[in-house]
Every structure is written in structure tokens, then in C-alpha cells.
Amino acid sequence: MSEISLSVDGVPELQKKLEKIGGLKALMPVFETQGHDIHNIAGTYPPEPPDSKYKRTYVLANSWSSKAFLRKGKVGVRVKNTAARRGRPYAMYVMGPKHDHRFARGIGARQAEIHAGRWPTLAGIAEKRTKNTMKEIQAKIDKILKE
């Protein structure tokens, strides 16, 4: 299973103001939306390589899910993929952390070299969404503080 989590630690002053309208729970819709966007982007396949004989099953694309969470004073979203072949998870080899030639030996929970450069990593997708996530969180907080 491959997964990534995004979360924001609650600032005490903000939490006090948020408690008036339900606490950090008020930010959950932002994280639900961002998680959904991340797993939709992750489920988009790059173009097939020229002369490829591989038949796409779309199991990887159809195995993404996301769920917003609220626990221990943190709100966030967990995006994960449960794609497996013969009971063995494989999403990390397609979209896991970048393959690093200095340390990787072709084995382990890293993006396989064959996919590097063609497939984005899940962390890369989340990183690109961070700016948008922060803007949406800020807009939600601003709206809350004006109420």
C-alpha cells in the first residue's frame, strides 16, 4: 500500500476561535477536497510508451482513495493506493519515492527506475497541491475569523 498524509497542527489561538464553530472539524472539507484532487491526479496515467506491448489494467488508477481525518488536535487527509498483484502491493514501484541510484538497488519501496521520469510520484503530486491547499485553508480560516 502506498500512501501520503497531509496535516496541519492546530495553533492554540486559532483552535479557540474555531471551537466556536465546531473546532478543526471546520477545515475538514478543505482536506476532503484536496485528498480527492490528489487521488484523481494520481489516477491519471501518462501516455503509453511507443511500441509498448503492455496492456493497461487500470487497477492502479482504480485503487486510490482518500479520507480526511481529525485526531489529537490535527486535521488532515490520507491518500492511499491498495493496488496489488498476486497479493503483493505495487503502487510504490510506480509512484513511490523517487528512485535514487546512489542507494537503491532495484529492490524496495521506491519508484522503479523504469517508471522514473514518466510517472509522477505521489509525494510530488501532493507537493504541487500544497500551495493550493494552503490557500484554501487560509481562505476558510479568514472566513471563519470574519464570522
Side-chain angles (χ1 to χ4, degrees):
M1 173 172 47
S2 289
E3 64 182 64
I4 189 162
S5 293
L6 304 173
S7 63
V8 173
D9 296 334
V11 178
E13 300 81 29
L14 176 59
Q15 281 184 322
K16 286 178 186 174
K17 290 180 180 183
L18 287 174
E19 283 173 15
K20 293 177 184 174
I21 59 147
L24 289 173
K25 191 175 185 178
L27 298 177
M28 286 192 60
V30 173
F31 283 91
E32 288 169 356
T33 299
Q34 294 305 314
H36 185 72
D37 290 351
I38 290 168
H39 92 247
N40 280 341
I41 293 167
T44 303
Y45 285 28
E48 290 188 33
D51 302 324
S52 175
K53 291 179 174 57
Y54 178 77
K55 297 285 183 200
R56 291 183 167 175
T57 63
Y58 296 94
V59 169
L60 182 71
N62 295 321
S63 298
W64 289 104
S65 65
S66 60
K67 183 168 176 63
F69 64 83
L70 173 62
R71 69 174 169 265
K72 297 182 183 178
K74 293 183 181 182
V75 63
V77 64
R78 183 177 187 191
V79 178
K80 68 179 182 176
N81 187 291
T82 56
R85 184 161 190 239
R86 296 186 186 133
R88 299 179 74 177
Y90 64 84
M92 69 280 224
Y93 301 115
V94 181
M95 299 182 76
K98 286 187 178 174
H99 183 82
D100 188 333
H101 298 285
R102 296 173 297 156
F103 303 108
R105 303 249 190 281
I107 298 172
R110 297 204 178 280
Q111 186 178 46
E113 190 171 358
I114 194 168
H115 300 302
R118 288 194 54 248
W119 286 82
T121 63
L122 184 57
I125 294 168
E127 189 175 313
K128 286 180 182 176
R129 297 291 305 162
T130 299
K131 191 173 187 178
N132 188 51
T133 302
M134 297 311 293
K135 282 182 184 176
E136 289 200 24
I137 290 169
Q138 187 62 55
K140 184 75 169 178
I141 290 169
D142 290 346
K143 183 179 176 188
I144 290 166
L145 295 176
K146 287 179 183 176
E147 293 177 354

